[in-house]
Amino acid sequence: MTPYEELKARGLIAQVTNEEEISKMINEGKAVFYIGFDPTANSLHVGHFMALCLMKRLQMAGNKPIALIGGGTGMIGDPSGRSDMRQMMTPAIIQHNCDCFKEQMSRFIDFSDGKAMMVNNADWLMNLNYVEFLREVGPHFSVNRMLTAECYKQRMEKGLSFLEFNYMIMQSYDFYELFLRYGCNMQFGGDDQWSNMLGGTELIRRKLGKDAHAMTITLLLNSEGKKMGKTQSGAVWLDPNKTSPFEFYQYWRNVADADVLKCLRMLTFLPIGQIDAMDQWEGSQLNEAKEILAYELTKLVHGEEEASRARESARALFGNGAAAEMPTCELTDEDFQEDAIDILTILQKSGLAPSRSEARRNVEQGGVSVDGEAVTDTRKTYKKTEFAGDGAVVKRGKKKFMKVIVK
């Protein structure tokens, strides 16, 4: 199986400009490709995962990745998939976020000896002369055609600012600059970026008379058609200080049965044949597949040691034991009244329930346990000594849990 055939077999490819040419370049290791990352936070998240895995796969096949950090475009913000305008960031915050990105990307991409590059589009965008830019680039873009792009359509109803309207032109100009500076001949991105990417290939063709190519990656959606990587508490981050390795592991361990094989194909580096053999798995075997998925992805992001610790902690949790790596809530002396604390306060303090009324409902519905013992009395109290040492594991439902200890 060629590298391009493997990308197809894993379900990673959505749209391409010229499949014959693109597959030839990738298979021969002649693709110098870029993927853009806007530094809107100080950490990458699961939404970037697909792009990072693709960059790693293509680099392994001999191709050269360019990670383009949007220090310039980040000053404006991508309107794709947005119902409102992004918050403006200062140059200092953008630079800090860029620095954080490179550290995380290094787990996926080998930047040594010129095997990959990281560049910042602020290097050329921030020095542009507005009038010159309009004269050089403006004539190559049709406003009528731009307004048909999906990324703009969904914003037209609520209002699209002229600031955001420039985003497609700036992204297209990025591709043009990368083509001139580094011989970048291909752009990859999420399927919602297709219009922006075509703008870049067209600008290169019109200004230079040369061919450049674009390929979009299938968006990581669950079986309900929603983007993966979000929880009730927010995004699943690649930074261990924002999402712990254990929480990261648990996110993938809890994917729906219908999504586990798709995630294994798209995100892990396990052989296709091994994953295809799991197609026949069902029942408890699917739980084993989820454990494999969670371990492989946690190892990729946080290393083998953290992945093993997270797996052991998860097994301890569901075996009703207290494990060191699970989320922890520390109670203080002030939380106890006469050396006692009630279950409703524990649920609220630990964040397992947003309010006492919700905590009461959880207990009454039989979904709460402490160290494996079901709690059905809303007046149940505990002493400090019961949370000493390794603490106690408090669970709400099947997937919400917290290790509670006394500080």
Side-chain angles (χ1 to χ4, degrees):
M1 187 181 291
T2 66
Y4 187 79
E5 286 171 342
E6 182 170 352
L7 295 181
K8 291 186 75 173
R10 290 183 179 274
L12 290 168
I13 300 174
Q15 301 182 79
V16 293
T17 51
N18 183 328
E19 186 168 48
E20 183 179 352
E21 189 63 28
I22 287 173
S23 61
K24 185 171 183 286
M25 290 167 68
I26 288 174
N27 292 337
E28 294 177 358
K30 294 180 178 176
V32 180
F33 67 95
Y34 94 90
I35 297 181
F37 300 84
D38 271 351
T40 52
N42 60 3
S43 171
L44 297 165
H45 53 71
V46 164
H48 298 112
F49 210 72
M50 188 86 76
L52 294 170
C53 289
L54 180 67
M55 295 175 90
K56 182 178 175 71
R57 289 183 207 282
L58 293 175
Q59 187 179 51
M60 289 167 64
N63 299 285
K64 183 175 180 177
I66 299 175
L68 179 68
I69 304 298
T73 42
M75 301 286 271
I76 290 179
D78 182 1
S80 300
R82 302 281 298 182
S83 58
D84 55 359
M85 198 165 80
R86 290 188 188 274
Q87 191 173 4
M88 296 288 210
M89 296 183 295
T90 66
I93 291 174
I94 289 172
Q95 185 56 52
H96 172 70
N97 293 351
C98 291
D99 294 340
C100 294
F101 279 18
K102 183 162 187 178
E103 184 178 346
Q104 292 177 346
M105 286 179 182
S106 296
R107 282 199 171 274
F108 295 81
I109 305 162
D110 182 3
F111 287 100
S112 67
D113 304 321
K115 294 173 189 168
M117 298 176 64
M118 175 176 280
V119 296
N120 190 331
N121 63 15
D123 292 347
W124 52 84
L125 291 180
M126 299 301 283
N127 297 320
L128 286 175
N129 177 288
Y130 186 62
V131 174
E132 286 181 10
F133 182 71
L134 285 178
R135 286 174 58 85
E136 290 295 315
V137 178
H140 302 297
F141 286 85
S142 160
V143 171
N144 289 359
R145 188 172 174 184
M146 289 173 71
L147 290 175
T148 64
E150 197 59 41
C151 62
Y152 290 144
K153 269 187 190 176
Q154 53 193 323
R155 286 299 307 280
M156 291 295 286
E157 292 179 11
K158 291 196 173 182
L160 176 72
S161 72
F162 182 70
L163 179 77
E164 295 169 296
F165 187 65
N166 278 269
Y167 192 88
M168 180 188 289
I169 301 174
M170 292 176 74
Q171 184 171 324
S172 301
Y173 188 74
D174 283 344
F175 198 176
Y176 171 74
E177 280 287 336
L178 291 169
F179 187 95
L180 287 176
R181 291 174 181 232
Y182 310 112
C184 179
N185 50 30
M186 201 176 298
Q187 180 186 3
F188 296 146
D191 203 31
D192 54 353
Q193 295 291 314
W194 182 240
S195 298
N196 294 342
M197 293 162 71
L198 289 181
T201 61
E202 186 71 5
L203 182 61
I204 291 168
R205 187 186 65 79
R206 285 172 175 267
K207 284 191 69 66
L208 303 174
K210 296 183 178 180
D211 290 330
H213 304 280
M215 183 180 93
T216 59
I217 316 162
T218 308
L219 293 175
L220 188 60
L221 305 176
N222 63 19
S223 51
E224 298 174 347
K226 298 177 181 176
K227 278 189 179 182
M228 297 186 72
K230 291 279 188 181
T231 67
Q232 283 189 331
S233 57
V236 180
W237 301 97
L238 306 193
D239 181 346
N241 295 315
K242 293 167 80 76
T243 298
S244 74
F246 178 78
E247 291 170 308
F248 187 85
Y249 179 96
Q250 279 300 110
Y251 174 80
W252 297 108
R253 175 63 182 79
N254 291 326
V255 298
D257 291 355
D259 298 323
V260 61
L261 288 178
K262 177 177 72 176
C263 290
L264 279 164
R265 285 192 179 93
M266 295 175 113
L267 300 174
T268 75
F269 288 80
L270 295 174
I272 280 286
Q274 181 181 341
I275 300 169
D276 287 345
M278 298 180 190
D279 268 332
Q280 308 305 316
W281 287 14
E282 55 187 29
S284 61
Q285 286 182 306
L286 284 176
N287 286 329
E288 184 182 342
K290 292 178 188 180
E291 195 171 79
I292 292 170
L293 172 69
Y295 177 80
E296 290 295 325
L297 297 191
T298 307
K299 181 173 71 172
L300 191 61
V301 174
H302 298 295
E304 191 168 356
E305 183 179 345
E306 289 290 357
S308 297
R309 290 171 68 184
R311 181 171 60 188
E312 289 164 13
S313 292
R315 287 173 176 173
L317 169 66
F318 292 105
N320 296 324
E325 294 305 307
M326 70 179 66
T328 300
C329 168
E330 294 183 348
L331 298 176
T332 62
D333 290 342
E334 288 74 27
D335 295 320
F336 291 82
Q337 301 294 325
E338 297 180 0
D339 195 37
I341 186 171
D342 65 88
I343 186 62
L344 302 186
T345 301
I346 292 172
L347 289 170
Q348 190 175 8
K349 287 276 184 183
S350 64
L352 292 173
S355 63
R356 285 184 69 84
S357 59
E358 182 67 21
R360 184 184 302 278
R361 190 159 42 249
N362 295 147
V363 172
E364 290 172 345
Q365 290 173 350
V368 176
S369 67
V370 176
D371 269 352
E373 183 180 335
V375 181
T376 55
D377 184 358
T378 57
R379 295 168 295 178
K380 173 76 173 174
T381 60
Y382 296 85
K383 294 183 178 179
K384 281 185 195 176
T385 53
E386 295 178 83
F387 300 107
D390 288 335
V393 177
V394 181
K395 290 177 69 176
R396 196 208 88 193
K398 292 182 179 179
K399 299 178 181 178
K400 297 287 185 179
F401 48 85
M402 186 73 65
K403 183 170 69 173
V404 177
I405 62 174
V406 175
K407 190 173 182 179

